[in-house]
Amino acid sequence: MTSLPPIEQFRSSTGARIYRIPVEAFPQFIAYCYLIFDAGPITLVDTGSGYGNSNEYLLAGIRAVHDDFGEPFQVGDIQRILITHGHIDHFGGVDFMVEQTGAQVGIHPIDRRVLTAYEERVIVATKDLRVYLERAGVKPELRGALMEMYGFSKKHVRSVPVDITLKTGTPLDGMRFFHTPGHCPGQVCILLGDVFLSADHVLSRTTPHQAPESITHYTGLGHYMESLAQVRLIGGVRVALGGHEDPIYDMYSRIEEIFASHRRKLERVLDIIRAADAPITISDMSKAMYPDKQGYEILMALEEVGAHVEYLYEHGEIAVRNLDEVEREDNPALRYGVE
Ligand SMILES: [Zn+2]
Ligand SMILES: [Zn+2]
């Protein structure tokens, strides 16, 4: 197995002990799960992807919390599994961990069906993505390749029942939940005293990935920036621990950097549209903005650009210029111009 960052212990001002456990969710892609003691029953936050060796890493990490940090417990003592959001690198191992522990599972209501009716979500989400890629003007050959890549990691997951609902304003054993839609519809962050589990809402290096709401309701840049503004108002966060990357010791300035990054991307998209000879598709904007992307990253770029185009369109800064075609044909590419 690949060598991963060490397990780290964090102590919250409530006295809870929080262990950060790395897993290799996908090749070369590390995700963090958190094991929490002294905030009610022993609680695991997120479960890795369930893909490849992810489950083995997680189990080994949990055992190391016992062996190396002297926490007197066994895997079977974990009574709660909280899922921060319905992305596979965070919940893919949930059925395995439920099997190992018999724990109750919690998630935000909007992402609940990702866990309880996984097959339905995959089929519907795949269709919505296909429609989006057509509308973005992606050529059929690339579209087929991207859809295949999208589907590959999603075959191994089984649905599980959900017992606990994570909602803003409904605390649980000292944990406060904040619904922060944007990166994912049911994204939840968890505040435990002065420690903030920021999941994929705030990350230390990467600006969390955005996709347009036209693919999935309750995502989109508008929701994301509102959620970011909401988190900025939470006082007293000493350290934010994300679902990936490093601990963030100044979350408030990191939030400002993320805002600035999106403002730059919005400007960049506007510049690309202005510079084009004719009204332009999201696919062409994406190529201009991210010319070097390969493989799965092309899909990520198409979603990221689409989220910014959607935001500009919602705010009346750009317009659809090929209305005749849109009216006449099934699902043609939309072509944008600056308003
Ligand atoms: Zn995510
Ligand atoms: Zn993630």
Side-chain angles (χ1 to χ4, degrees), residues 29 85 89-90 200 244:
F29 183 67
H85 64 296
D89 49 324
H90 299 260
D200 282 3
H244 311 276

Side-chain angles (χ1 to χ4, degrees), residues 25 29-32 46 84-85 87-90 183 187 199-201 203 242-244:
F29 183 67
I30 291 167
Y32 290 105
D46 286 345
T84 60
H85 64 296
H87 283 168
I88 193 138
D89 49 324
H90 299 260
H183 169 76
Q187 174 76 74
D200 282 3
H201 184 53
L203 297 172
H244 311 276

Side-chain angles (χ1 to χ4, degrees), residues 83-84 106-113 164-168 178-179 185-188:
I83 302 295
T84 60
I107 193 165
H108 188 273
I110 294 182
D111 277 359
R112 187 172 170 274
R113 286 182 68 76
I164 305 167
T165 296
L166 309 183
K167 277 204 279 197
T168 307
F178 294 86
H179 181 215
Q187 174 76 74
V188 165

Side-chain angles (χ1 to χ4, degrees), residues 66-77:
H66 171 278
D67 297 347
D68 303 347
F69 292 86
E71 295 286 356
F73 79 109
Q74 318 233 318
V75 178
D77 297 336

